[in-house]
Amino acid sequence: MMRQIAVVIAISLAVASCSAGAHSTARRAQPVQDELPVALDNGGRGLSAASPPGHVPPSLACRDRVHATTRSLVARVLPDGPRARSGGLAFTSGVCVYLPPGYATSALRYPVVYLLHGGGGDQADAVTYGHIRNVMDGLVAKDRGRAAIIVMPDGANGQWYDSVNGDLRNDEYVTKWVVGFIDRHFRTIAARKGRAIVGVSNGGYGAMLFAAKHPDLFSAAGGMSSNLDAVTDATGAKFSGLRDADGSAFRANHPIELVARLVNTDLVLDIADRCASNAPAALCPTQVVDAFFLEANREFVAAVRAQIGRKARLDYREDNAAHQWYWWSQQLRDHQLPFLLAGLANPAKG
């Protein structure tokens, strides 16, 4: 599949070279060897045997071949990444990528939105449960200026950080490996003005964490039902991979502790403070999870609003919703993506 992507990119580069008056004597850039060998792919199956109803393995959910078509595509690529001390992968491999209608035959470069799943999810969650293809296709049908590439990495059960022991390095994987891979293999607007990041639940934590730790990469960040205090259960326990003797690792990876670094970043957050729906798929009882996260979201937003010199946008909503893709898909369609894409560069030739 990556061979077809390489062909499309090569054709685009050749056309650009001819229009600029380049000749065959021009020096060619050496290809970057950045793809994980298929034999090491540990993320194709996605979740464990305890997968929720309707789960589709990423290798099936994101299996489109990149080719000339008027419809959108959802492909799966294998960026390489960091290794653990044992020599094994310090990440779960595989990234699902939504490409807008007509991508392969277009000469445009597109903004990119990174979409992070929650705890218990995998790289195909937004495809299978969040119906991201329908969401984005609908937005693009209304306004072609909203066309974008959506990148969905795997966060190893939603643990979006680098662990103290080095066995898990998801922060490094996404920000130093995946972002570069996507910019090399797809026609992106490879600049801060062309990137945003958003997530659900633990992914909302990851989105705010990455935006704060890497403000040079992302101009906007969003979160839905965000676990901003990094809790793992009702006892208040925190992410186990960040536990060290003095708590410094946790503080260095806590969005509220890092909020000062978001002064120039547009932010959009949704969290449920109630749930009223008769739809079976709404699963209103799961609103209790959002209730558990609500105070941390309010604390985070209060800290953002108190920032001196802040000029970036902030849109915070407490919604009628619950802790489910049924609601997150709607929030992406009606609030999160319109907000994020409005602040990004539009698709453009380049």
Side-chain angles (χ1 to χ4, degrees):
M1 186 273 294
M2 287 307 304
R3 186 171 298 169
Q4 285 86 354
I5 294 176
V7 170
V8 172
I9 293 172
I11 292 172
S12 300
L13 289 174
V15 171
S17 177
C18 289
S19 1
H23 300 283
S24 59
T25 53
R27 181 175 298 173
R28 295 181 179 179
Q30 293 298 313
V32 177
Q33 301 300 320
D34 57 359
E35 191 171 3
L36 184 75
V38 174
L40 298 181
D41 181 12
N42 65 6
R45 294 183 180 180
L47 300 173
S48 67
S51 301
H55 175 258
V56 180
S59 59
L60 296 179
C62 312
R63 63 178 176 177
D64 284 342
R65 176 178 56 86
V66 179
H67 64 285
T69 176
T70 58
R71 68 184 184 92
S72 62
L73 300 168
V74 180
R76 183 169 181 266
V77 293
L78 294 176
D80 206 345
R83 299 298 191 265
R85 294 171 184 172
S86 64
L89 303 186
F91 62 98
T92 297
S93 62
V95 175
C96 290
V97 181
Y98 164 91
L99 299 172
Y103 168 85
T105 54
S106 166
L108 300 178
R109 290 191 173 275
Y110 295 91
V112 182
V113 178
Y114 288 79
L115 175 52
L116 310 183
H117 65 78
D122 64 34
Q123 60 207 257
D125 261 26
V127 178
T128 303
Y129 300 114
H131 311 294
I132 191 63
R133 174 182 253 158
N134 291 340
V135 168
M136 280 300 300
D137 285 358
L139 292 175
V140 174
K142 292 179 181 177
D143 180 359
R144 295 193 66 81
R146 287 182 171 177
I149 296 170
I150 310 296
V151 176
M152 296 157 277
D154 202 299
N157 198 28
Q159 307 299 291
W160 300 102
Y161 54 82
D162 292 349
S163 65
V164 172
N165 65 10
D167 288 344
L168 185 68
R169 291 159 65 183
N170 276 332
D171 181 350
E172 178 184 346
Y173 173 56
V174 173
T175 62
K176 291 185 171 59
W177 295 75
V178 174
V179 169
F181 181 98
I182 295 298
D183 286 342
R184 285 187 292 273
H185 290 269
F186 297 93
R187 292 194 318 279
T188 68
I189 298 173
R192 184 178 190 267
K193 66 179 181 179
R195 290 192 208 96
I197 188 164
V198 62
V200 303
S201 194
N202 281 8
Y205 159 89
M208 296 302 148
L209 179 69
F210 292 173
K213 293 183 73 173
H214 309 279
D216 56 316
L217 291 182
F218 306 105
S219 62
M224 294 158 281
S225 304
S226 302
N227 180 13
L228 295 182
D229 201 27
V231 297
T232 58
D233 55 43
T235 68
K238 310 300 182 183
F239 288 148
S240 60
L242 294 176
R243 294 174 189 165
D244 59 6
D246 61 1
S248 58
F250 179 76
R251 291 191 297 273
N253 289 277
H254 195 297
I256 297 175
E257 296 282 344
L258 302 173
V259 74
R261 304 189 65 178
L262 292 166
V263 68
N264 295 314
T265 303
D266 292 335
L267 300 173
V268 55
L269 295 107
D270 285 90
I271 189 163
D273 67 343
R274 62 198 182 283
C275 187
S277 174
N278 294 323
L283 292 175
C284 275
T286 64
Q287 191 265 324
V288 68
V289 181
D290 279 40
F292 196 55
F293 297 160
L294 183 57
E295 190 54 40
N297 276 254
R298 289 174 173 171
E299 181 183 349
F300 178 82
V301 170
V304 171
R305 286 175 173 159
Q307 288 177 323
I308 297 174
R310 180 178 178 82
K311 295 182 180 178
R313 297 176 298 153
L314 170 65
D315 191 339
Y316 172 67
R317 299 183 185 180
E318 296 182 2
D319 305 320
N320 172 46
H323 205 79
Q324 288 295 318
W325 273 110
Y326 174 88
W327 299 101
W328 298 330
S329 184
Q330 296 175 52
Q331 290 167 351
L332 279 168
R333 180 193 66 204
D334 300 334
H335 188 208
Q336 296 272 325
L337 286 170
F339 177 97
L340 295 171
L341 293 172
L344 295 180
N346 290 330
K349 291 184 178 180

